[in-house]
Every structure is written in structure tokens, then in C-alpha cells.
Amino acid sequence: MVTLVLPRLVDVSAASRRSGSVVERNLAALKSVYWLLLLSGFVEPLLYLLSIGVGVGTLVGDLPLPDGRLVSYAAFVAPAMLAASAMTGALSETTFNFFGKMKYMKLYDGMIATPVRPFEIALGELSWAMLRGSAYSAAFLGVMVALDLTSVVHAVTALPAAVLVGFAFGALGMAVSTVMRSWQDFDLVASAQFTLFLFSGTFVPAQAYPTLLHWLIEVTPLYRAVHLIRGVALGTGGWLWLLDVFYLLALLAVGLFVASRRMGRLLYP
């Protein structure tokens, strides 16, 4: 039994180290300008929260939750901005940056000359993207607590949910990037991302839309992310959180599988 299990354990450990090496490479390559780009990903959802959630919220008033409890419009919008922030941070790393490294910098061509495999590259890049997404999420949760839009206990619970959202969208972004042909194709990615941002129960409850559109919205990944984080941050949702978690885990698994398979075909022609 030992001889059968031990090699698998060694392989997992070695794969983890090789994925970690990809993260270390990205950390070593950081430049001062890059930190400004990181800051921009946090500032954008914060501005939306202050302008729409707080500003427009004074005109909208309170909104009812599924359990009948009333919350301020800012408290309704803030978890959606957190989900959008996690999505934006993850997609920024796993679309434009990932595509540039693979297509133009040919960075991964050198990596596969070492023992590092395409799946480990994908896992390392995804982990790196999550460092960025987690930083956004933690900072944004701090703002929510400071504005009394959630409690400290709920904020601590919402952070792992936001990390899961980032992982799911990061895997999806990498999978999409492997089928992109040029930078112009990313206009479609930006359009899809903005559409999700507007129509995922972000600013208006999904129930406010016509029935067909409502059903369509509920199967989109950002809606499931918003529903999960809003439920955790506001203490609602019940067992439906499990549906959101399973959805995002499935998206993570499929995205990582497709990305690693596509990378293998592109790097080993």
C-alpha cells in the first residue's frame, strides 16, 4: 500500500512546488508601475459604491431581501461590488496578462523546457491572480465594515467566498484566453464582462426583470457570485449558498481543465 500511495504524494508535492515557482517568478517581475494597475482595480468598484450605492441610494431608499428584511441600497450594492472586484482582479491577470505572456512574450515556452507542466503553469498563474483578487476583496471588506454595511463577523466569512469567486473567474479567464487569436478579440471579453456587471443583480434585484431575462440572469456566473457574497455579507440566503458554491467550484474545475489542455496543445504543437 505504501509503495502505491507514496509516489502520488510525491507528485502532488512536486507539482505544488513547481506551481509555486510560477508565483515566485511573477512576484520577482513586479515593477512600480504595476502597483498602480493593482490600485486601479480596487478604486473602480469603490467609486461605484460611493457614487451609486451611497449617492443614488439616498433617492432609492431601502430594498427588501428575500427573507423580507429591509436593507439600505448601499448595503444591497456593496456585496455586488465586492463580487465584481474579485471578478475584475482575477480576469485582469488571467486574460490580458496571461495572453501576453503566452502569445507574445513566449514565457511559457521556456518554462516547459523545465519539469514544469502546462497544468502547473495554469495553477501557478491562477494562484497569482488570486493574490491580487484577495487583496482587492480584503481591502473592500474593510471599507464595507467602516461604512457599517456589514459586520466584522460577516466580513470574515465573506472573504473566503470572495476568494472562491476570484478562483472561478480566474480559471474561466485562462480558458477563454487560450482560444483568443489577437488583442482585438479581448474587446468581446470586455463587453461580456461589462454586461455581466450590469445585469447580475448588481444594482437591481434580478426579480425586477421580465421572467425570461430573470432566469437567464440567474445562470450567469457573476449572479451566482453576487448571490453568494450578498447572502454571506448580509446574513441571508440559507442553504442556497451551497448551490452558489457548487456552481463556482464546477466553473473553477472546468476552466482549469480546459486551460491546461489548451495550453498543452499550444505549447506542444
Side-chain angles (χ1 to χ4, degrees):
M1 178 65 69
V2 175
T3 57
L4 292 176
V5 175
L6 185 57
R8 295 181 181 179
L9 296 177
V10 173
D11 287 345
V12 171
S13 176
S16 299
R17 290 197 303 270
R18 290 192 287 264
S19 298
S21 298
V22 177
V23 177
E24 291 175 6
R25 180 268 161 202
N26 289 332
L27 184 61
L30 281 180
K31 296 181 180 180
S32 58
V33 178
Y34 188 80
W35 292 106
L36 296 177
L37 298 177
L38 291 179
L39 182 62
S40 66
F42 165 73
V43 171
E44 181 179 352
L46 178 61
L47 293 178
Y48 273 109
L49 173 61
L50 296 177
S51 62
I52 298 179
V54 178
V56 178
T58 59
L59 304 176
V60 175
D62 295 337
L63 288 179
L65 296 176
D67 61 359
R69 182 159 53 98
L70 293 177
V71 296
S72 67
Y73 187 65
F76 178 84
V77 170
M81 294 297 99
L82 174 58
S85 178
M87 175 187 72
T88 301
L91 286 181
S92 296
E93 282 293 340
T94 58
T95 52
F96 297 101
N97 294 347
F98 179 79
F99 180 77
K101 293 174 184 176
M102 181 173 59
K103 185 77 173 180
Y104 293 97
M105 295 174 61
K106 302 296 182 181
L107 179 65
Y108 305 134
D109 291 50
M111 287 187 180
I112 61 172
T114 70
V116 179
R117 295 170 293 182
F119 175 78
E120 294 159 354
I121 295 174
L123 187 59
E125 290 291 355
L126 182 58
S127 300
W128 170 247
M130 278 320 306
L131 290 177
R132 177 174 177 173
S134 298
Y136 289 167
S137 301
F140 199 86
L141 281 168
V143 173
M144 289 176 61
V145 172
L147 294 178
D148 197 26
L149 300 178
T150 188
S151 66
V152 175
V153 174
H154 287 155
V156 172
T157 309
L159 182 57
V163 171
L164 174 59
V165 171
F167 264 117
F169 275 99
L172 177 63
M174 279 197 299
V176 171
S177 296
T178 58
V179 299
M180 295 291 103
R181 298 162 299 177
S182 66
W183 294 113
Q184 286 72 25
D185 291 341
F186 283 96
D187 290 340
L188 299 175
V189 176
S191 298
Q193 183 178 342
F194 189 65
T195 301
L196 286 176
F197 178 68
L198 292 179
F199 297 99
S200 294
T202 316
F203 303 106
V204 179
Q207 293 78 8
Y209 295 103
T211 303
L212 182 59
L213 184 57
H214 173 202
W215 290 345
L216 181 62
I217 288 173
E218 287 200 350
V219 298
T220 59
L222 185 57
Y223 176 82
R224 302 317 323 173
V226 169
H227 186 268
L228 172 63
I229 295 181
R230 183 173 286 147
V232 174
L234 300 180
T236 63
W239 65 270
L240 289 177
W241 294 356
L242 294 177
L243 176 62
D244 301 326
V245 170
F246 288 142
Y247 180 104
L248 294 171
L249 286 175
L251 182 64
L252 166 61
V254 172
L256 192 57
F257 174 77
V258 172
S260 61
R261 289 293 297 271
R262 287 285 304 162
M263 286 182 67
R265 293 177 182 177
L266 292 172
L267 296 175
Y268 297 109

